[in-house]
Every structure is written in structure tokens, then in C-alpha cells.
Amino acid sequence: MSKIIRQLAHMCIFTDDLAATEAFYRDVLGIEVKFRFIRDGKLHGFYLDVGNRTNIEVFEKVGTAFDESNTINHMCLEVHDMDAAIAHVRAQGVEITDKKFGIDDTYQSWTRDPNGVKIELFEYTPKSAQFLGGDRNVNW
């Protein structure tokens, strides 16, 4: 059987503050709006272009809040240079963890958007398990 899935198309998040959410993804993470959803003449949501036909879909939903019991725990965004990404996020006044080298031979750092959605920034290395495969023993 041939491979059915090409890649992630999008993931959807809800917000009760479209303006703050757009500003975070645009100004802090450098992701541009691809297009907007308009309902009854008012902004209802938008698509953020994260490259290679992959997007983050954002819709307004009053009273929405992130909860650790949600099935989807976080989104992960690949970066070109982890140190530069961390410096940029911090320069925007947003908290982000220090760079960590993961058991899968990747660099990782964590932040949250204005809605509480956890975001992992991710930088591959030539030895990353995502490229080489192989099981990794974890202690967490």
C-alpha cells in the first residue's frame, strides 16, 4: 500500500481573543496570516501559514481555555536556529524555557500562546531519531 498521508495539513486552536492570538503568532513566532474567515462582516478566524502546506487554523470561541486534560497536549514547530528563536521570543516579552537537548537528539524549548496552548519549538540535528529511527529509552 502506498503512503496515504503526505504531512500535517493543519491543527486548529480556539481563542476568545483573535487580535492577541494573531499578534502572538505574527510578532513572537513570525508566522503570517494566509487568509481570514469572516462571519456576518466580522472576523471569525484565520489560517496561519507555517510552511510546506501546513497551517494553524484559529477560530474565535468565547470562553475557551486550555486545560491539561485536553487530548491534544501541544503543537510542535520546527525552527531553523533554536538560539535565535529563543532570543527573539524573549525579546517580545514572552516567557520561553532554555534550550534542552532531548533523548531523540533534538533541541527543544517550550512557550505558550495567549490562550495557554503549549508550543514546543524544535530543532533537528543530523542524529535526530526522526531521521535515523531507533528506539530511545526515556525516564519521564
Side-chain angles (χ1 to χ4, degrees):
M1 177 183 215
S2 66
K3 184 176 175 184
I4 296 172
I5 304 300
R6 176 191 302 260
Q7 66 183 43
L8 179 68
H10 73 266
M11 64 179 305
C12 179
I13 62 174
F14 293 130
T15 181
D16 59 6
D17 190 337
L18 286 169
T21 301
E22 180 178 338
F24 174 85
Y25 284 94
R26 181 192 60 230
D27 301 338
V28 176
L29 297 180
I31 303 172
E32 295 297 322
V33 171
K34 181 110 179 186
F35 67 91
R36 301 174 190 284
F37 295 98
I38 309 297
R39 178 191 282 168
D40 299 324
K42 182 182 171 203
L43 180 64
H44 179 61
F46 48 85
Y47 253 54
L48 297 161
D49 182 358
V50 293
N52 296 324
R53 300 169 15 161
T54 302
N55 299 273
I56 300 169
E57 180 182 56
V58 180
F59 285 111
E60 182 176 46
K61 184 174 182 185
V62 176
T64 201
F66 180 78
D67 184 321
E68 287 290 342
S69 66
N70 290 346
T71 303
I72 296 176
N73 179 267
H74 69 277
M75 76 172 88
C76 180
L77 302 171
E78 181 184 356
V79 300
H80 295 284
D81 179 329
M82 183 62 73
D83 294 323
I86 291 170
H88 176 77
V89 170
R90 287 181 175 155
Q92 303 304 308
V94 174
E95 290 185 27
I96 187 167
T97 66
D98 290 334
K99 176 171 71 173
K100 174 189 171 194
F101 192 69
I103 193 74
D104 57 354
D105 290 306
T106 61
Y107 290 104
Q108 306 159 13
S109 182
W110 294 82
T111 190
R112 289 182 184 262
D113 82 357
N115 309 294
V117 175
K118 293 189 299 186
I119 300 168
E120 178 182 9
L121 300 184
F122 207 69
E123 183 181 355
Y124 292 113
T125 69
K127 294 183 178 180
S128 292
Q130 292 81 352
F131 300 142
L132 301 179
D135 295 340
R136 306 295 172 106
N137 293 316
V138 298
N139 61 2
W140 35 263

